[in-house]
C-alpha cells in the first residue's frame, strides 16, 4: 500500500462505486468534497465493504462483511499505517454481519485510531437491545454525524446520547450553475414539454406507481406533460434477469394509456447528466412510501437543482420542505399528488419562485460545505489538526465571461443569470480589466486579450472631454444623468486610473495597440486626477499612477502622487491618535487602499513620513481585522466608528480582496513573512473559514457570492464579487507559485510590480 507523504489519511468504512447503492454514492461524494477543499493535506482512502470478496481489490482496504474473522484482521491492517489519523464508519444496520450488524464490534475492539460514524438510519422508539447496541457503538467514539434535526432529537431523547457528541449536517448536494428549466430542456430537445421527474435506484420503496396513478388527472389539465422516471432498478431486486418492479410500472403505463407521457431512462447516469435532467425538471415528484425514512439524497439533489417539489410526508421532507419551496402530501395519495402538481403547473411564477427558494436553501449543504463541517469535527478527534490546510480551487473564468457582452461586464446577476437590465458600470469594468490582465500575465491565455479590449474600450467610452469618467451605461449603451451623479463617482473614476495603470504596467506582454490606448486614456485623466479629494479615491488613483510610473517614469505623474498623498497624510495627522492610527474617525469599505497609497507615495518619493504612516496605519487596520487568530471583515452594518465596538456580519468579498491586495503590496515591498501569512488567512475566508463555515464562490463557474450575512450567504454572483474573488485567487496563485522572494526596498524606476 503506497503512502502519500505529508498527508493525513482518513479511512472510510463504506460500500463504494461501482457498487450501486445510496451509501456508496454518498461516500464517494463526501470524499470528493473533502479532497476538493482539503486535498492539500488530507488523503481519503476506502475500506470497502463487500459481501463477495474481489479477486483484485481496488481500494486500500477491503472488508468481507459476512466473514466475522476479517473485522479484526482489517482493523490490525489499518492500525499498522501510521499516517491514518481517523476512521469514519458509514453506518447502516444492514451493511455489517450479525445481529444489528454486531460483527462490527470485533473491528471496534481492535482499532486504535480515532473513530467517528455517520448514522444513515436512526430508528425511533428502539427496543432495549437496539438502544443498548447503539450506545455501545458510540462508546468507542463519542462522535456521530446525522443528517436531520429529527435524527439528532431521536438520538438524544430515545437513546440518551449527549447533544455535544452529535454533528447535525444536511445531506450533501452538488453545486450547479443555476438556469431555468426552459434553458436546461434544450439539451434534451424537450422544450415543448412540461417535465415531471423522479430518479434513483428503483424499488417498491420509491413508490413510483403513485406518480403514475396521479398522471391521468394531470394530463387532463396539462396534456403535454412528460414524466421522466430516471434510474435503473436496484440490482438486488433483479432475480434471474427478471425486473419485476419495472415490469409492474410498465404495465401501469400500458393500462392507463400513458405511453406518450412517460419516459423511462433505464440507466445509472453519471452525476453531470443527472443534474442536467433535474435542472430541466419543472416539478420533482418525491413519492417515497417509507414513513420512517430519515433522509433522502434524491430529494436533496432535486432541491439543489431548483426543482419545486411535490413530496410525500417523511421525516426528511417534513423538516426541510417549507411551503415556499414545495407541497407536502400524504404517502401514496395519488389524488393529492395530482392536485398539487396541477396547482404548480398552472402558475409559472409560483414554480419559479419555489425553485429558487429550494436552490438557495441547499447551498449551505453543498459537498464543499459538508466537507468543511466534516473537517471541523475531525479536528476535535485527530492529533495535530493544525496540519489540515485548505486547498485552492481551480481558477475559473466561466461566470465572468458569461457576464460579459461586447459592450462590457454586466453589473448584477440573479443568482448566476446575468441581469442585463442592471446595465454596466465603470467600477466593474475597471475591476474586470485588472483581473484579466493579472490572469493573462499568469497564463498567457490569448482568449484573455479579447476581454481586456472589451473592458478597456468601455473605460475609454466612459471618459469625458475633461478627462474624468461617467460611471453608468444602460443595456442600450445610453448614459443616465441620475446614475452618473452619485456620491461615489470619484471612487469609480479613480478605479479606472488603477485599471489603466495595470494595463500599462503589463505593456511588455500586451499588444502595443492595447497599451497605447490605455496610456492615452490615462494621460487624458491626469488634470482631473490632481483634483481628487476623497481618501479612497486618492488611494485607487495613486495605485494606478504608481503602476504607470514604474513602467514609464514621469515627473508630472510623480508630482501628482505626492500632491494627492499629502492630502491623505493631512487627513491622517488630523484624525490619528495613539489608539486610533487612521485617516478618518471610522473605517468603511476598501480600507486597505489607504495605507497602500502611503506605501506607493513612499516608493515614489522616498519620504520617510509616508513609510511610517503606511506601516503604522496598516498595523492598526490589521489589528481590527485579525483578532484571536481569526479574520473578520469590517461590517457594512454601520461600519466601524472610533471608540465603538465593531458590528457583526454584513461582510463583502470586495473588502477581503482589497485586504489581500494591500498585504501583497506590502509583502512585495518589504518581504515581511507576516504579510504573506495574513494573505493566506484572509483568502481562507473565501474557502469557508468564516462564521457560517461556507464557501464564498461557485467552484464550477468561478462566480463570487455577493455577501456573507448572519445566517446565509447571498448567492447572487454580480460582477463586483466575482471579479474580487478572481483577483484574490490570482494573487494567491502567484504567491503559491513563487512564495515571492524578498524584494529589497527600491525606487519606482527600478520597477516594483505590485500586482505581479
Amino acid at each position: 500500500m503506497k503512502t502519500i507523504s505529508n498527508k493525513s489519511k482518513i479511512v472510510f468504512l463504506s460500500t463504494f462505486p461501482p457498487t450501486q447503492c445510496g451509501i456508496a454514492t454518498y461516500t464517494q461524494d463526501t470524499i470528493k468534497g473533502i479532497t476538493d477543499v482539503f486535498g492539500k493535506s488530507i488523503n481519503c482512502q476506502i475500506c470497502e465493504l463487500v459481501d463477495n470478496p474481489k479477486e483484485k481489490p481496488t481500494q486500500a482496504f477491503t472488508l468481507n462483511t459476512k466473514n466475522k474473522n476479517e473485522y479484526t484482521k482489517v482493523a490490525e491492517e489499518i492500525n499498522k499505517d501510521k499516517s491514518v489519523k481517523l476512521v469514519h464508519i458509514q453506518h447502516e444496520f444492514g451493511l455489517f454481519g450479525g445481529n444489528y450488524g454486531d460483527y462490527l464490534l470485533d473491528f471496534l475492539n481492535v482499532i486504535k485510531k480515532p473513530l467517528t460514524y455517520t448514522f444513515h438510519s436512526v430508528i425511533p422508539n428502539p427496543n432495549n437491545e437496539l438502544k443498548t447496541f447503539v450506545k455501545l457503538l458510540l462508546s468507542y467514539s463519542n462522535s456521530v454525524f446525522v443528517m436531520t434535526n429529527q435524527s439528532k432529537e431521536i438520538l438524544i431523547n430515545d437513546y440518551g446520547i449527549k447533544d455535544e457528541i452529535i454533528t447535525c449536517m444536511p445531506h450533501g448536494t452538488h453545486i450547479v450553475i443555476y438556469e431555468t428549466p426552459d434553458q436546461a430542456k434544450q439539451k434534451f430537445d424537450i422544450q415543448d414539454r412540461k417535465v415531471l421527474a423522479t430518479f434513483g435506484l428503483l424499488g417498491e420503496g420509491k413508490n413510483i406507481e403513485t406518480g403514475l396513478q396521479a398522471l391521468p388527472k394531470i394530463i387532463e389539465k396539462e396534456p403535454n406533460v412528460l414524466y421522466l422516471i430516471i434510474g435503473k432498478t436496484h440490482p438486488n431486486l433483479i432475480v434471474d434477469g427478471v425486473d419485476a418492479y419495472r415490469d409492474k410500472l410498465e404495465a401501469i403505463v400500458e393500462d392507463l394509456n400513458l405511453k406518450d407521457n412517460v419516459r423511462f431512462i433505464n440507466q445509472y447516469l453519471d452525476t453531470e447528466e443527472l443534474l442536467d435532467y433535474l435542472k430541466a425538471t419543472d416539478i420533482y415528484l418525491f413519492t417515497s412510501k417509507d414513513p420512517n425514512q430519515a433522509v433522502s439524497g434524491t430529494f436533496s439533489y432535486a432541491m439543489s437543482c431548483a426543482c419545486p417539489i411535490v413530496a410525500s410526508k417523511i421525516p426528511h421532507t417534513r423538516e426541510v420542505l417549507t411551503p415556499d419551496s414545495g407541497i407536502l402530501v400524504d404517502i401514496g395519495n395519488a389524488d393529492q399528488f395530482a392536485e398539487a402538481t396541477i396547482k404548480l403547473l398552472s402558475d409559472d411564477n409560483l414554480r419559479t419562485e419555489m425553485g429558487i427558494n429550494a436552490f438557495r436553501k441547499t447551498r449551505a449543504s453543498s459537498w464543499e460545505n459538508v466537507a468543511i463541517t466534516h473537517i471541523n469535527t475531525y479536528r476535535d478527534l485527530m492529533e495535530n489538526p493544525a496540519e489540515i490546510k485548505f486547498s485552492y480551487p481551480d481558477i475559473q473564468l466561466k461566470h465572468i465571461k458569461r457576464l460579459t457582452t461586447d459592450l462590457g461586464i454586466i453589473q448584477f446577476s440573479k443568482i448566476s443569470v446575468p441581469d442585463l437590465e442592471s446595465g454596466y458600470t465603470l467600477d466593474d469594468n475597471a475591476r474586470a480589466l485588472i483581473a484579466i490582465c493579472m490572469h493573462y500575465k499568469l497564463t498567457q491565455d490569448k482568449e484573455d486579450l479579447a476581454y481586456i479590449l472589451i473592458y478597456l474600450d468601455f473605460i475609454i467610452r466612459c471618459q469625458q472631454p475633461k478627462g474624468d469618467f461617467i460611471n453608468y451605461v444602460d443595456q442600450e449603451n445610453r448614459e443616465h444623468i441620475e446614475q452618473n451623479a452619485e456620491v461615489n463617482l470619484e471612487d469609480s473614476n479613480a478605479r479606472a486610473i488603477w485599471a489603466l495603470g495595470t494595463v500599462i504596467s503589463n505593456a511588455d506582454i500586451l499588444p502595443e495597440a492595447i497599451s497605447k490606448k490605455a496610456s492615452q486614456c490615462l494621460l487624458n485623466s491626469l488634470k482631473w486626477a490632481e483634483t481628487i479629494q476623497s481618501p479612497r479615491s486618492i488611494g485607487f488613483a495613486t495605485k494606478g499612477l504608481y503602476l504607470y510610473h514604474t513602467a514609464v517614469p514621469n515627473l508630472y505623474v510623480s508630482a501628482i502622487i505626492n500632491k494627492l498623498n499629502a492630502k491623505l497624510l493631512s487627513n491622517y495627522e488630523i484624525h490619528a491618535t495613539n489608539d486610533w492610527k487612521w485617516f478618518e474617525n471610522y473605517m468603511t469599505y476598501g480600507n486597505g487602499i489607504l495605507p497602500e497609497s502611503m506605501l506607493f507615495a513612499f516608493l515614489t518619493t522616498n519620504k520617510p513620513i509616508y513609510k511610517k504612516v503606511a506601516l503604522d496605519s496598516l498595523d492598526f487596520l490589521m489589528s481590527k481585522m485579525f483578532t484571536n487568530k481569526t479574520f473578520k471583515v469590517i461590517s457594512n452594518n454601520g461600519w466601524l466608528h472610533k471608540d465603538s465596538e465593531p458590528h457583526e456580519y454584513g461582510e463583502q468579498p470586495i473588502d477581503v480582496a482589497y485586504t489581500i491586495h494591500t498585504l501583497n503590496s506590502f509583502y512585495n515591498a518589504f518581504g515581511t513573512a507576516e504579510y504573506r501569512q495574513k494573505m493566506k488567512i484572509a483568502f481562507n475566508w473565501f474557502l469557508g473559514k468564516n462564521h457560517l463555515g461556507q464557501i464564498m464562490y461557485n467552484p464550477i463557474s468561478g462566480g463570487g457570492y455577493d455577501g456573507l450575512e448572519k445566517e446565509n450567504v447571498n448567492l447572487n454572483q454580480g460582477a463586483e464579487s466575482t471579479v474580487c474573488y478572481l483577483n484574490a485567487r490570482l494573487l494567491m496563485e502567484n504567491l503559491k507559485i513563487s512564495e515571492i522572494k524578498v524584494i529589497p526596498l527600491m525606487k519606482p524606476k527600478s520597477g516594483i510590480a505590485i500586482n505581479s
Side-chain angles (χ1 to χ4, degrees):
M1 185 170 47
K2 188 177 178 181
T3 299
I4 297 179
S5 60
N6 300 322
K7 290 189 180 185
S8 298
K9 289 182 186 173
I10 298 169
V11 174
F12 286 79
L13 261 68
S14 179
T15 54
F16 204 73
T19 297
Q20 295 179 8
C21 79
I23 291 177
T25 304
Y26 180 90
T27 302
Q28 182 181 51
D29 289 333
T30 299
I31 287 174
K32 184 178 186 305
I34 292 172
T35 302
D36 287 348
V37 181
F38 297 100
K40 176 181 179 180
S41 53
I42 294 289
N43 175 34
C44 295
Q45 293 191 333
I46 295 295
C47 175
E48 187 174 11
L49 305 178
V50 300
D51 52 18
N52 287 307
K54 299 178 180 179
E55 290 183 13
K56 292 183 179 179
T58 56
Q59 302 298 336
F61 307 95
T62 303
L63 172 58
N64 178 2
T65 56
K66 291 182 177 178
N67 186 339
K68 194 171 188 293
N69 296 328
E70 285 216 4
Y71 287 81
T72 298
K73 178 183 171 186
V74 170
E76 288 171 343
E77 285 180 20
I78 294 172
N79 285 338
K80 289 176 185 176
D81 190 340
K82 292 181 180 179
S83 60
V84 174
K85 305 299 182 185
L86 182 79
V87 174
H88 191 146
I89 300 171
Q90 300 295 319
H91 185 271
E92 179 67 76
F93 292 102
L95 283 181
F96 302 98
N99 187 33
Y100 290 124
D102 64 1
Y103 284 10
L104 181 60
L105 294 176
D106 287 16
F107 176 91
L108 297 175
N109 283 322
V110 174
I111 194 73
K112 291 182 170 61
K113 307 293 183 178
L115 286 172
T116 187
Y117 304 87
T118 294
F119 280 0
H120 289 265
S121 287
V122 179
I123 300 170
N125 305 311
N127 59 35
N128 285 335
E129 187 180 7
L130 176 57
K131 180 177 178 179
T132 300
F133 180 67
V134 168
K135 294 184 79 167
L136 181 59
L137 287 180
L138 288 174
S139 71
Y140 289 90
S141 168
N142 283 327
S143 172
V144 62
F145 292 86
V146 295
M147 284 176 262
T148 64
N149 287 313
Q150 180 167 345
S151 293
K152 179 178 179 178
E153 293 301 315
I154 292 170
L155 282 180
I156 293 170
N157 298 325
D158 293 6
Y159 291 83
I161 305 301
K162 292 179 181 178
D163 184 345
E164 56 265 27
I165 77 167
I166 305 170
T167 302
C168 187
M169 173 193 65
H171 191 291
T173 54
H174 295 280
I175 289 180
V176 299
I177 299 173
Y178 174 79
E179 55 185 332
T180 65
D182 287 345
Q183 293 170 312
K185 287 173 189 176
Q186 295 174 21
K187 299 183 185 80
F188 305 106
D189 196 25
I190 51 175
Q191 301 94 302
D192 59 334
R193 308 296 293 268
K194 286 284 174 63
V195 176
L196 314 178
T198 190
F199 87 93
L201 289 172
L202 302 192
E204 292 286 349
K206 288 281 193 275
N207 199 24
I208 305 298
E209 50 268 40
T210 298
L212 293 174
Q213 288 158 2
L215 206 53
K217 280 191 177 181
I218 296 169
I219 292 168
E220 284 180 24
K221 297 287 186 181
E222 297 281 351
N224 73 337
V225 156
L226 176 64
Y227 186 18
L228 301 177
I229 300 171
I230 305 166
K232 298 187 72 159
T233 305
H234 197 291
N236 293 348
L237 300 179
I238 299 175
V239 181
D240 296 329
V242 177
D243 187 344
Y245 185 64
R246 188 173 298 274
D247 290 345
K248 172 183 171 182
L249 297 181
E250 289 178 349
I252 294 173
V253 171
E254 185 73 30
D255 290 345
L256 297 178
N257 194 26
L258 300 174
K259 290 193 295 295
D260 294 335
N261 299 91
V262 175
R263 184 178 300 174
F264 287 96
I265 301 170
N266 186 11
Q267 300 174 51
Y268 194 77
L269 299 178
D270 65 45
T271 301
E272 190 171 338
E273 189 172 7
L274 170 62
L275 297 175
D276 282 341
Y277 269 113
L278 291 176
K279 288 196 287 183
T281 297
D282 290 291
I283 301 171
Y284 187 82
L285 301 183
F286 180 78
T287 53
S288 172
K289 66 179 181 182
D290 181 357
N292 293 316
Q293 185 175 354
V295 69
S296 167
T298 61
F299 169 74
S300 297
Y301 283 15
M303 286 190 73
S304 74
C305 289
C307 296
I309 298 179
V310 179
S312 51
K313 297 171 183 174
I314 66 165
H316 191 190
T317 61
R318 284 177 182 272
E319 185 170 311
V320 174
L321 194 67
T322 50
D324 63 352
S325 52
I327 300 174
L328 289 170
V329 299
D330 292 333
I331 290 175
N333 192 318
D335 287 340
Q336 288 184 16
F337 267 97
E339 208 174 295
T341 302
I342 290 166
K343 177 182 177 181
L344 294 184
L345 286 174
S346 66
D347 191 333
D348 293 348
N349 291 333
L350 179 60
R351 281 201 319 281
T352 299
E353 186 179 334
M354 280 187 169
I356 290 173
N357 288 335
F359 180 89
R360 291 186 189 279
K361 284 180 182 179
T362 50
R363 288 310 86 197
S365 61
S366 73
W367 287 113
E368 291 79 3
N369 291 333
V370 165
I372 293 167
T373 302
H374 272 90
I375 294 297
N376 287 342
T377 298
Y378 292 168
R379 288 181 193 277
D380 294 332
L381 304 172
M382 295 170 62
E383 291 182 9
N384 302 318
E387 295 175 357
I388 302 174
K389 307 289 184 185
F390 283 104
S391 300
Y392 293 164
D394 291 341
I395 296 168
Q396 291 282 359
L397 302 186
K398 288 179 186 174
H399 189 58
I400 197 171
K401 289 181 176 181
R402 191 180 185 194
L403 283 170
T404 302
T405 69
D406 291 342
L407 180 55
I409 191 166
I410 298 164
Q411 185 174 191
F412 296 135
S413 183
K414 295 176 180 176
I415 307 182
S416 56
V417 179
D419 180 9
L420 193 56
E421 292 183 0
S422 67
Y424 306 81
T425 66
L426 180 67
D427 264 343
D428 292 331
N429 281 273
R431 294 187 192 100
L433 181 55
I434 293 165
I436 300 301
C437 282
M438 291 171 65
H439 187 264
Y440 183 66
K441 185 168 187 177
L442 179 71
T443 65
Q444 303 291 299
D445 183 348
K446 298 298 182 185
E447 284 189 17
D448 291 347
L449 295 175
Y451 291 90
I452 288 171
L453 196 55
I454 287 171
Y455 306 138
L456 176 58
D457 282 346
F458 185 86
I459 292 173
I460 293 169
R461 180 256 176 273
C462 290
Q463 192 164 38
Q464 302 299 287
K466 292 183 179 180
D468 60 335
F469 303 84
I470 60 166
N471 187 46
Y472 178 79
V473 173
D474 72 13
Q475 60 180 317
E476 304 297 336
N477 198 11
R478 296 173 302 199
E479 300 174 17
H480 293 255
I481 294 174
E482 306 82 28
Q483 284 94 333
N484 288 306
E486 295 175 354
V487 176
N488 291 329
L489 192 59
E490 201 173 62
D491 275 9
S492 60
N493 276 241
R495 283 195 189 93
I497 293 176
W498 175 9
L500 294 167
T502 300
V503 174
I504 296 157
S505 71
N506 287 292
D508 58 327
I509 59 170
L510 289 171
E512 186 179 1
I514 288 178
S515 55
K516 276 188 173 180
K517 272 187 173 189
S519 293
Q520 189 59 54
C521 188
L522 186 142
L523 292 172
N524 290 343
S525 73
L526 293 181
K527 283 291 183 187
W528 171 83
E530 283 190 74
T531 69
I532 296 174
Q533 300 298 323
S534 158
R536 279 160 190 75
S537 302
I538 288 172
F540 297 136
T542 295
K543 189 162 186 173
L545 294 172
Y546 174 80
L547 289 168
Y548 177 88
H549 187 47
T550 59
V552 187
N554 183 304
L555 289 176
Y556 179 34
V557 170
S558 174
I560 295 174
I561 291 172
N562 187 48
K563 179 179 179 181
L564 292 177
N565 284 277
K567 297 177 190 177
L568 194 56
L569 179 62
S570 175
N571 264 49
Y572 183 84
E573 290 170 340
I574 290 168
H575 295 101
T577 62
N578 285 338
D579 57 359
W580 184 264
K581 296 183 178 181
W582 199 242
F583 304 85
E584 300 165 304
N585 284 330
Y586 43 79
M587 288 181 170
T588 58
Y589 65 95
N591 297 294
I593 197 65
L594 304 183
E596 203 175 350
S597 190
M598 290 280 99
L599 170 65
F600 300 141
F602 166 64
L603 294 174
T604 304
T605 67
N606 211 26
K607 290 183 178 180
I609 185 61
Y610 287 145
K611 177 183 178 183
K612 182 179 189 315
V613 172
L615 292 171
D616 287 350
S617 59
L618 178 68
D619 287 347
F620 179 69
L621 175 61
M622 295 301 103
S623 75
K624 299 299 181 184
M625 301 186 79
F626 294 84
T627 58
N628 300 321
K629 296 184 179 180
T630 62
F631 172 73
K632 288 287 285 184
V633 181
I634 303 296
S635 169
N636 64 7
N637 294 331
W639 304 120
L640 174 59
H641 291 261
K642 186 176 182 180
D643 299 325
S644 68
E645 291 297 311
H647 293 267
E648 291 287 318
Y649 317 118
E651 301 176 31
Q652 294 189 307
I654 187 170
D655 287 303
V656 185
Y658 280 150
T659 302
I660 294 168
H661 267 290
T662 297
L663 289 165
N664 183 63
S665 296
F666 276 81
Y667 181 67
N668 282 352
F670 302 117
T672 306
E674 179 189 356
Y675 299 147
R676 181 184 69 236
Q677 188 58 29
K678 279 184 163 62
M679 286 174 68
K680 294 176 180 179
I681 294 170
F683 188 72
N684 285 349
W685 181 91
F686 286 108
L687 304 182
K689 190 66 174 176
N690 51 60
H691 75 268
L692 289 182
Q694 295 185 31
I695 60 171
M696 291 300 298
Y697 63 95
N698 183 315
I700 308 301
S701 67
Y705 298 144
D706 277 358
L708 182 70
E709 304 301 335
K710 181 178 181 180
E711 296 177 346
N712 67 285
V713 172
N714 182 340
L715 296 177
N716 293 332
Q717 296 153 52
E720 177 185 292
S721 51
T722 294
V723 172
C724 285
Y725 166 68
L726 177 60
N727 261 301
R729 178 66 187 86
L730 291 167
L731 287 169
M732 300 313 295
E733 187 68 12
N734 286 328
L735 194 67
K736 185 178 77 170
I737 289 170
S738 61
E739 288 294 329
I740 309 168
K741 293 178 181 179
V742 176
I743 301 173
L745 198 59
M746 58 186 73
K747 295 184 180 180
K749 66 181 181 181
S750 301
I752 299 175
I754 293 296
N755 278 332
S756 64

